[in-house]
């Protein structure tokens, strides 16, 4: 199968993530999308949700969505999540699948700085999607990387997890920016300054 990996912090997961995944799946005939929340060590993070909570919110978001799954592998592996290490583990566990890694325009520009990007790009195809505020210029990437990034068109949405967290903290509405089930989870858990 062709699997699209959607990696991120997902603090919390929002409609931009889901639309990016859907665009990649549709444009490149992927069979499934696996959402993969990263494990980030506690001392590195601003006050947000825990790894377990980010995993559970991501599960709540895709629970009833066909062809979407959640992968807890980076929580399992722990420590700082380098994509090269995670991918090596996925290639080992699932030699039958072909993996594509979905990234927003901000991440595409940052790809040259990824740990062992040459080795990663030899085996992994990236799918880049647009994001308001970020130019998606493949020409700016090193030549070896340019051929390794496919593009997918999506309806651009100016939503970020940071903005969602801030809106919660100020008591503003985030309805339709995040899935209802995620909204309920956040309020139930008193995350991001909400009152349970
Ligand atoms: P934060 O504000 O905390 O950085 P974020 O909204 O950027 O959160 P991440 O978890 O950092 O979300 O991003 C995971 C992946 O999703 C990245 O590849 C990022 O580029 C992509 N992404 C996030 N938001 C959007 C969006 N609105 N449109 C397209 N891609 C997005
Ligand atoms: Mg981000």
């Amino acid at each position: 199968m062709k699997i699209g990996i959607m990696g991120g912090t997902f603090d919390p997961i929002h409609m931009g993530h889901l639309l990016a995944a859907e665009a990649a799946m549709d444009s490149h005939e992927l069979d499934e999308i696996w959402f993969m929340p990263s494990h980030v060590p506690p001392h590195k993070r601003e006050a947000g949700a825990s790894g377990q909570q980010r995993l559970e919110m991501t599960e709540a978001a895709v629970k009833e969505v066909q062809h979407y799954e959640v992968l807890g592998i980076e929580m399992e592996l722990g420590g700082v999540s380098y994509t090269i290490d995670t991918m090596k583990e996925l290639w080992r566990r699932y030699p039958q699948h072909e993996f594509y890694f979905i990234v927003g325009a901000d991440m595409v520009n940052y790809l040259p700085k990824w740990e062992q990007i040459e080795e990663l790009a030899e085996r992994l195809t990236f799918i880049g999607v647009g994001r308001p505020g970020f130019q998606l210029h493949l020409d700016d990437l090193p030549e070896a990387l340019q051929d390794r990034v496919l593009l997918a068109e999506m309806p651009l949405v100016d939503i970020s997890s940071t903005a969602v967290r801030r809106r919660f903290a100020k008591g503003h509405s985030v309805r339709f920016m995040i899935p209802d089930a995620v909204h309920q989870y956040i309020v139930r858990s008193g995350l991001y300054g909400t009152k349970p």
Side-chain angles (χ1 to χ4, degrees):
M1 287 201 297
K2 289 168 73 170
I3 311 286
I5 303 275
M6 184 80 205
T9 318
F10 304 128
D11 191 12
I13 186 166
H14 56 69
M15 292 311 186
H17 298 130
L18 294 162
L19 285 166
E22 191 63 19
M25 185 153 96
D26 182 63
S27 301
H28 299 287
E29 296 175 321
L30 307 179
D31 297 291
E32 286 188 359
I33 302 288
W34 294 359
F35 286 82
M36 188 172 77
S38 59
H39 178 272
V40 187
H43 61 271
K44 273 200 150 179
R45 304 203 15 261
E46 66 175 280
S50 70
Q52 186 59 31
Q53 288 172 321
R54 290 182 291 109
L55 192 66
E56 285 171 8
M57 285 191 282
T58 309
E59 276 164 356
V62 307
K63 199 169 154 216
E64 277 159 24
V65 186
Q66 233 188 346
H67 309 301
Y68 282 23
E69 304 289 339
V70 178
L71 201 59
I73 187 171
E74 292 198 330
M75 300 297 166
E76 246 176 71
L77 297 175
V80 180
S81 313
Y82 291 113
T83 304
I84 181 73
D85 298 331
T86 312
M87 284 314 307
K88 279 183 178 165
E89 187 58 24
L90 288 178
W91 285 321
R92 196 182 66 75
R93 287 189 200 180
Y94 306 99
Q96 73 275 30
H97 294 329
E98 192 183 336
F99 291 104
Y100 294 75
F101 202 95
I102 304 158
V103 275
D106 55 315
M107 280 294 144
V108 174
N109 300 337
Y110 190 73
L111 277 179
K113 301 212 176 76
W114 283 27
E115 199 73 19
Q116 296 180 58
I117 185 66
E118 294 87 2
E119 192 187 349
L120 189 60
E122 268 173 33
R123 247 185 111 177
L124 188 63
T125 308
F126 294 91
I127 300 177
V129 296
R131 185 170 188 182
F134 300 93
Q135 299 287 338
L136 219 181
H137 285 315
L138 296 188
D139 318 351
D140 296 343
L141 291 176
E143 228 162 275
L145 259 178
Q146 287 180 21
D147 308 341
R148 308 297 300 136
V149 184
L150 308 174
L151 299 177
E153 279 215 37
M154 67 175 272
L156 296 182
V157 281
D158 194 3
I159 302 178
S160 68
S161 300
T162 303
V164 170
R165 292 193 300 272
R166 288 188 184 146
R167 291 183 69 80
F168 266 120
K170 289 186 183 153
H172 287 304
S173 167
V174 294
R175 198 144 61 120
F176 310 128
M177 295 171 83
I178 59 174
D180 281 345
V182 176
H183 197 293
Q184 284 160 23
Y185 181 102
I186 290 168
V187 175
R188 213 184 320 124
S189 314
L191 280 171
Y192 311 129
T194 55
K195 309 271 179 297

